[in-house]
């Protein structure tokens, strides 16, 4: 798409910068949660699900992503037991809306 209007180009640039900041924040969130030997605790399915959730998180760290989407993106079919594992190990906190 070619943007001819200066305002449209400025808006597109601002959106791209906001998206880049959000990616960086998510990257920092994942790095912090896996620091200090925590990576040794998570392997396989739990690690994949945690990373998938982190990639879907908003700027506050909340994520509303279906188990179906997680299953599709990670290749694991049973997500509920993995979520329970992450909750029990305090990597994931769940709230009902």
């Amino acid at each position: 798409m070619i943007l001819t209007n200066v305002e449209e180009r400025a808006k597109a640039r601002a959106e791209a910068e906001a998206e880049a900041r959000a990616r960086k924040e998510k990257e920092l969130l994942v790095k912090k949660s896996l620091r200090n030997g925590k990576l040794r605790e998570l392997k396989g399915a739990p690690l994949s699900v945690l990373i998938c959730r982190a990639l879907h998180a908003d700027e506050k760290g909340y994520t509303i992503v279906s188990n179906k989407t997680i299953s599709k993106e990670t290749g694991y079919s049973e997500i509920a037991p993995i979520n329970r594992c992450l909750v029990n190990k305090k990597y994931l906190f769940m709230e009902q809306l």
Side-chain angles (χ1 to χ4, degrees):
M1 168 176 35
I2 297 174
L3 300 176
T4 56
N5 189 332
V6 174
E7 290 177 356
E8 289 176 344
R9 281 188 261 156
K11 182 180 177 183
R13 184 173 37 246
E15 288 174 357
E17 288 171 358
E19 203 173 290
R21 277 193 305 276
R23 278 194 306 269
K24 187 174 182 182
E25 288 172 3
K26 288 177 188 178
E27 185 178 306
L28 291 174
L29 174 69
V30 173
K31 283 182 183 177
K32 282 184 177 181
S33 68
L34 297 177
R35 208 181 275 165
N36 298 327
K38 299 281 186 182
L39 185 57
R40 281 185 245 140
E41 293 178 13
L42 290 178
K43 303 259 188 253
L47 180 59
S48 293
V49 170
L50 181 66
I51 291 172
C52 182
R53 286 187 170 280
L55 292 172
H56 284 276
D58 64 11
E59 59 276 350
K60 293 182 181 179
Y62 289 98
T63 179
I64 300 175
V65 60
S66 70
N67 286 349
K68 183 178 179 179
T69 299
I70 295 172
S71 178
K72 181 180 170 186
E73 292 183 7
T74 62
Y76 294 102
S77 58
E78 295 295 322
I79 304 303
I82 300 167
N83 286 336
R84 280 193 299 275
C85 171
L86 291 169
V87 168
N88 290 339
K89 291 184 177 191
K90 301 191 191 288
Y91 284 101
L92 182 65
F93 300 93
M94 297 200 130
E95 296 179 3
Q96 290 210 349
L97 300 177

